[in-house]
Amino acid sequence: MMNFIKRFRKRRQVEKKYGKLRDIGNFSITIPDREKILLFDNEEYEEKGQLLYYVIKKEKEGRYIQLVEFILYDPTIRNHGIGKKLMAELIEYAKENNMKKIDVYPSPIGE
């Protein structure tokens, strides 16, 4: 019971600092500003990664997203589909804001 209370308090602290958390499997995400998505684990609510992007507006293309980087701080959580889930969140954000494309530039590390 105490573990639950401790986790609940930690989650509330994170939400107070960054905004409402949304669960995606064993992790939670929040979008504290328009150009960053933060990833937290659901046990200790420590930050485990981030996805950085820019919203760009061009006359001919309208508004779109340019993905800058996706970083997982903890290598033990790689290959668990987290990147796909974060990209799904970014795609949903783009749809909600009537954006037609997301530019993605892969890094050699993320292959």
Side-chain angles (χ1 to χ4, degrees):
M1 186 67 159
M2 195 59 164
N3 237 354
F4 173 77
I5 294 171
K6 186 177 177 181
R7 283 197 331 259
F8 178 78
R9 286 182 179 154
K10 183 67 175 173
R11 182 181 179 110
R12 297 288 294 177
Q13 288 174 344
V14 169
E15 287 185 327
K16 187 175 181 181
K17 184 174 181 179
Y18 296 109
K20 183 90 172 122
L21 289 171
R22 189 163 63 235
D23 293 333
I24 56 167
N26 295 329
F27 298 91
S28 295
I29 63 162
T30 186
I31 305 175
D33 56 44
R34 291 185 173 194
E35 297 181 339
K36 184 188 299 183
I37 298 175
L38 299 177
L39 175 73
F40 295 90
D41 68 37
N42 281 348
E43 286 297 318
E44 299 295 323
Y45 289 97
E46 297 295 328
E47 188 177 337
K48 295 292 184 176
Q50 62 182 351
L51 187 146
L52 304 173
Y53 62 94
Y54 294 115
V55 175
I56 297 174
K57 185 176 181 180
K58 291 188 177 176
E59 282 187 39
K60 291 183 181 180
E61 299 176 37
R63 291 176 53 213
Y64 68 94
I65 292 176
Q66 182 176 21
L67 182 62
V68 178
E69 64 183 339
F70 173 55
I71 303 168
L72 285 177
Y73 303 126
D74 184 351
T76 63
I77 63 173
R78 292 185 186 272
N79 300 318
H80 289 92
I82 295 166
K84 288 179 187 176
K85 291 176 183 175
L86 286 176
M87 284 303 298
E89 292 294 325
L90 192 59
I91 290 167
E92 187 62 33
Y93 172 81
K95 286 179 181 176
E96 288 172 1
N97 290 281
N98 298 318
M99 296 179 198
K100 303 266 186 249
K101 74 175 188 172
I102 299 175
D103 284 344
V104 179
Y105 302 97
S107 71
I109 297 171
E111 294 182 317

